[in-house]
Amino acid sequence: MISRRQLIDQIKQKKSFLCVGLDTDLDKIPEFLKAYPDPIFEFNKRIIDATKDLCIAYKPNAAFYESRGIKGLQSLISTYNYLPKDCLSIIDAKRGDIGNTSDKYAQAFFNEDASGMSFDAITITPYMGSDSVTPYLAYEGKWVIVLALTSSTGSKDFQYLTTNEGFLYEAVIKKANTWAGADRIMYVVGATKSTEFTNIRKFAPDNFLLVPGVGAQGGNLEEVCKYGMNKDCGLIVNASRSIIYAGNGEDFADAARAEALNVQQQMQVELEKAGVI
């Protein structure tokens, strides 16, 4: 398990707050890997080997594995077992259901004896309220990453609806803060919403924010840092396709490393500018 203190230490040591998203699609990996018994795991293994000194987290997206049935779940378990223990492991599952179902989802991703996996953190959709979050918090030391404000075009459909607590996404943050502290709860905030970070920091000044959307989705790292970084960094910025699919030949892992290094170097500049390192 990775504590808040350990996460901050990793950021300072690696001069990075990069999360590499393992959204691994069998149709997009190099053709030569398909000769291996588990092409998805072989791809992930090489990406991890190439980037583990440049990032502080990995985030497999459950859909890319569950869509392949038992083979996909085997690839996910193998990937989980291979992840470096000094990096935060996030399962991007976006689960959200009532208590007894959430108990089973939590078991699937947090109970290694039951499922073969025990990720450090899971993304959760909170719109069924505390029932969809608290079962995960029952696992000591595990993180819950609550969907707050996304980069999707559909975010305006619900997330900006007004309530007595302000926008709906603001109400989500305020309520989730009553379930656990900044050592257990993070929030998902899309990178293309960078100017909203100032507002979000009013309600979540100390929480880490998982920020997708930098890279292929067009988010601006400098703006995210300008509006969202706090004294501990407080950001985990995810890049998936722009890194893992940077190359498509036998040297794909080298291309992934080059792209990850480019992002890490930009992050180092931002960390130094903010006085975090």
Side-chain angles (χ1 to χ4, degrees):
M1 294 180 288
I2 301 292
S3 69
R4 179 184 175 88
R5 182 72 260 165
Q6 289 171 316
L7 183 57
I8 294 167
D9 287 345
Q10 279 291 298
I11 289 169
K12 292 181 177 181
Q13 289 168 19
K14 293 182 177 178
K15 300 177 175 62
S16 172
F17 45 99
L18 173 63
C19 174
V20 174
L22 298 173
D23 301 0
T24 308
D25 187 336
L26 190 63
D27 294 332
K28 294 181 179 179
I29 68 174
E31 194 65 31
F32 79 95
L33 291 176
K34 295 176 184 178
Y36 285 81
D38 187 342
I40 296 292
F41 172 60
E42 186 64 29
F43 178 86
N44 289 349
K45 176 176 176 291
R46 297 190 189 202
I47 293 290
I48 292 165
D49 287 344
T51 59
K52 60 187 176 183
D53 61 321
L54 302 172
C55 67
I56 51 96
Y58 287 96
K59 183 176 69 63
N61 186 314
F64 287 84
Y65 302 88
E66 292 171 336
S67 63
R68 301 190 65 245
I70 188 64
K71 288 183 179 180
L73 288 173
Q74 289 168 343
S75 299
L76 181 59
I77 291 169
S78 295
T79 297
Y80 160 75
N81 285 320
Y82 197 75
L83 292 174
K85 299 308 177 191
D86 64 341
C87 290
L88 186 75
S89 60
I90 302 168
I91 182 67
D92 192 358
K94 297 185 180 71
R95 298 299 193 254
D97 211 326
I98 59 173
N100 61 339
T101 308
S102 289
D103 284 339
K104 293 304 180 184
Y105 281 140
Q107 181 176 306
F109 295 115
F110 282 171
N111 186 332
E112 192 163 1
D113 291 337
S115 68
M117 296 177 287
S118 182
F119 286 91
D120 296 313
I122 186 170
T123 56
I124 295 296
T125 302
Y127 290 100
M128 290 184 75
S130 60
D131 282 359
S132 60
V133 175
T134 52
Y136 301 91
L137 294 170
Y139 286 79
E140 186 176 352
K142 300 295 189 181
W143 293 87
V144 173
I145 309 178
V146 176
L147 236 61
L149 187 60
T150 64
S151 296
S152 59
T153 55
S155 63
K156 63 182 181 296
D157 292 343
F158 300 115
Q159 294 165 32
Y160 284 101
L161 293 178
T162 54
T163 74
N164 291 334
E165 295 289 329
F167 289 127
L168 183 55
Y169 82 82
E170 296 173 344
V172 166
I173 294 171
K174 290 176 185 178
K175 176 56 79 172
N177 280 341
T178 70
W179 299 330
D183 59 338
R184 299 291 307 279
I185 287 189
M186 303 185 192
Y187 295 101
V188 177
V189 182
T192 59
K193 306 293 186 183
S194 57
T195 55
E196 295 283 2
F197 279 82
T198 301
N199 188 48
I200 286 166
R201 282 300 186 202
K202 294 176 185 175
F203 311 111
D206 300 320
N207 299 79
F208 268 87
L209 307 178
L210 175 63
V211 185
V214 169
Q217 294 181 55
N220 184 288
L221 180 63
E222 187 175 5
E223 282 202 357
V224 167
C225 294
K226 177 181 178 181
Y227 297 111
M229 191 173 283
N230 64 20
K231 61 181 176 57
D232 296 320
C233 178
L235 299 171
I236 301 173
V237 171
N238 181 78
S240 300
R241 287 170 289 171
S242 60
I243 289 178
I244 67 175
Y245 300 133
N248 195 39
E250 294 199 7
D251 62 347
F252 75 93
D254 293 332
R257 179 175 179 79
E259 182 59 30
L261 179 61
N262 178 51
V263 177
Q264 181 274 321
Q265 289 174 337
Q266 294 176 53
M267 288 179 169
Q268 181 173 345
V269 170
E270 297 300 328
L271 289 166
E272 290 172 348
K273 192 190 304 182
V276 177
I277 59 174

